[in-house]
Amino acid sequence: MKHVKRLYGTLIFLFAFLIFAFFYVGHQQQAAHNKIPKVGVLQLLSHPALDQINKGLDDTLEKNGYKNGKNIQIIFQNAQGDQSNLRTISKQFVEDNVDVAVGIATPSVQSLKNATSTIPIVMGAVTDPKGFGIVPSNTHPGGNITGVSDQAPLGDQLKLMKEIMPNIKRLGIIYTSSDMSATTESKKMKKLAKAQGIDVDLVSISNINDLEQVSTNLSQNVDAIFVPTDNTIASGMKLLSSVAAKRNVPVFPAADTMVKDGGLATLGLSQYELGQKAGEDVVAILKHHKKPADMPVTFIKKGHLIINQKMAEKLNITFPDSLVQRAQKEGRIIK
Ligand code: TRP
C-alpha cells in the first residue's frame, strides 16, 4: 500500500515536471523566435538593375539557411526615388533596431549613414565608396559600413564599342546631374574616349522628364551613346534606346540589365552577382560576427558580354563573328 502511494506520488511529480518542461521549452522557443535577426533593406527605387541586386541578396541569404519570417526578418522598403522617404525609412530601421541595414544604390547608403554610426550597413552597390566619402578607405573601412562597389569596367566597355563600331568618331554620353555614380563614370568614360581620339558630347538631364528631349538632340550629333550606371536613366532605358534608334544610333550601357531594355551590347557586371556579394557580407556579419570595419569593400573586376541581336537588326549593325562566338560561349545573346 505504501509502495503504491509512493508510486502515485512519483507519477504526479513526473507529470507536473513534464507539464512544466513543456511550457518552459515553449517559452524559450518563443523568446528565441522574438530574437531572430532583423535585416532592413532600403532600395532607392525600382529599376531592373537594382531589382536584380535585391534578388541576389535575398537568394544568398536563403542559400545560407535564412528563411524570411522563420529565422530572419527581412524588412524591404522602396523609397520610390524620394529623399524624404529615404530619411524616414532610415530612421525607422534605427528605431526597429535592425541588426544589419542594406542600402541599394548610393543615396540609400548615404541616408542610412546619416541615421546611424553603430548599426552595420552593407552597400548594395555604390560605385565609388571612398570617392563619395562613405568610407575612409576601401580596404579598411574602419567604421560601420562595408559592402560592394559596382564600378564598371569602362576601359573594356570602350574597347567593345570600338570592336562593334571601328569607325566611331563621336560618342554621346548622357547622365543625370544629381547622380554621383553616373557623374563620375561619365567623366571617366569621356577621358578614356578622348584618349582614343574619339570626340565626346557629354550631356546631362536633371530628371526623367528631360530624357526624351535631351536624347533626341544628342542622337542627332553622335555615332553612339554611352550610359553609365545611372539610376534615373536605368528606368528610362526603353525610351532612350527607342529615341536613339530612330536616328540609327546604338546605346551602349554600363550594366547587363540595361542591354535587355534596348541597349546594343555591354561588357557589364552582373547586377545579380553584386547582390550576391552584398548578401555574403550580411551573412558574415550575422553568422560569423564579422565587423564592417574589418571587411574590405568588394570590387568585381569581370564583366559579362551581353549582345542584343534584336537591336542590332533594327539598327542594321552586324556584330563581328568572333564577338558573337564569345557571347555564345561565355556571355548572353538577346534575340
Ligand atoms: N551605382 C549606382 C549607385 O551608386 C547603383 C547601381 C548599381 C546602378 N547598379 C546599377 C544604377 C545599374 C544604374 C544601373 O547609386
Side-chain angles (χ1 to χ4, degrees):
M1 203 51 191
K2 239 186 186 172
H3 273 54
V4 174
K5 260 193 187 160
R6 191 175 286 163
L7 185 63
Y8 274 140
T10 314
L11 278 178
I12 286 168
F13 175 76
L14 256 180
F15 189 61
F17 177 77
L18 279 178
I19 286 177
F20 170 75
F22 181 78
F23 282 107
Y24 182 74
V25 170
H27 179 261
Q28 288 294 84
Q29 271 176 355
Q30 184 66 33
H33 184 76
N34 289 342
K35 265 178 36 202
I36 65 172
K38 265 191 250 177
V39 175
V41 181
L42 174 52
Q43 183 171 322
L44 173 66
L45 79 172
S46 193
H47 62 66
L50 300 189
D51 293 347
Q52 277 298 302
I53 293 176
N54 184 46
K55 186 165 189 305
L57 170 79
D58 273 350
D59 289 355
T60 301
L61 291 177
E62 190 157 344
K63 226 180 172 173
N64 281 275
Y66 289 110
K67 293 228 165 15
N68 192 15
K70 226 170 155 197
N71 55 359
I72 194 168
Q73 187 189 350
I74 301 173
I75 311 166
F76 175 83
Q77 296 281 7
N78 184 333
Q80 319 280 358
D82 182 275
Q83 280 297 333
S84 85
N85 286 347
L86 286 174
R87 272 195 300 275
T88 313
I89 299 164
S90 303
K91 271 193 207 143
Q92 192 59 49
F93 283 175
V94 175
E95 268 167 41
D96 288 348
N97 204 13
V98 297
D99 295 275
V100 181
V102 181
I104 303 186
T106 304
S108 310
V109 173
Q110 278 168 329
S111 161
L112 291 168
K113 180 182 160 91
N114 290 336
T116 177
S117 55
T118 50
I119 295 174
I121 297 172
V122 171
M123 303 178 280
V126 162
T127 305
D128 187 1
K130 181 170 181 283
F132 299 164
I134 291 172
V135 294
S137 151
N138 289 323
T139 41
H140 303 283
N144 62 324
I145 307 176
T146 189
V148 183
S149 163
D150 66 310
Q151 210 154 74
L154 298 176
D156 294 344
Q157 295 185 344
L158 182 61
K159 235 184 181 167
L160 176 68
M161 281 187 243
K162 287 189 67 175
E163 197 176 339
I164 297 171
M165 305 179 77
N167 298 321
I168 183 170
K169 297 254 160 10
R170 200 168 181 89
L171 177 68
I173 303 178
I174 185 168
Y175 69 100
T176 307
S177 50
S178 58
D179 190 316
M180 284 169 95
S181 144
T183 309
T184 359
E185 278 189 356
S186 295
K187 289 189 177 143
K188 276 192 194 153
M189 184 53 103
K190 179 178 175 178
K191 242 189 183 165
L192 290 172
K194 288 193 111 173
Q196 303 262 330
I198 298 171
D199 289 329
V200 172
D201 236 350
L202 184 65
V203 299
S204 69
I205 60 170
S206 45
N207 60 56
I208 191 84
N209 302 324
D210 297 347
L211 185 60
E212 182 156 12
Q213 187 59 50
V214 174
S215 56
T216 301
N217 292 344
L218 182 64
S219 51
Q220 286 162 7
N221 301 323
V222 297
D223 304 313
I225 294 175
F226 172 77
V227 201
T229 55
D230 185 301
N231 286 302
T232 307
I233 302 178
S235 37
M237 261 310 282
K238 285 191 179 134
L239 173 65
L240 170 63
S241 51
S242 73
V243 166
K246 280 191 200 142
R247 296 257 159 192
N248 268 323
V249 172
V251 177
F252 292 93
D256 63 343
T257 46
M258 295 160 91
V259 177
K260 214 171 150 203
D261 280 347
L264 180 65
T266 194
L267 230 161
L269 301 187
S270 152
Q271 303 299 303
Y272 183 79
E273 192 183 339
L274 294 169
Q276 285 180 313
K277 296 282 179 208
E280 285 166 17
D281 280 348
V282 174
V283 171
I285 294 166
L286 290 179
K287 219 181 227 173
H288 310 298
H289 309 291
K290 289 252 178 86
K291 299 262 176 290
D294 314 320
M295 298 162 65
V297 174
T298 305
F299 286 82
I300 299 175
K301 299 260 152 43
K302 205 174 147 18
H304 297 268
L305 177 63
I306 304 187
I307 62 176
N308 190 333
Q309 201 67 266
K310 210 164 103 194
M311 206 59 194
E313 274 158 32
K314 201 166 164 184
L315 296 165
N316 262 323
I317 288 176
T318 316
F319 290 124
D321 286 343
S322 58
L323 188 73
V324 176
Q325 277 160 17
R326 251 158 60 213
Q328 264 163 353
K329 230 172 103 190
E330 51 184 42
R332 201 145 56 97
I333 301 179
I334 290 162
K335 291 187 174 151

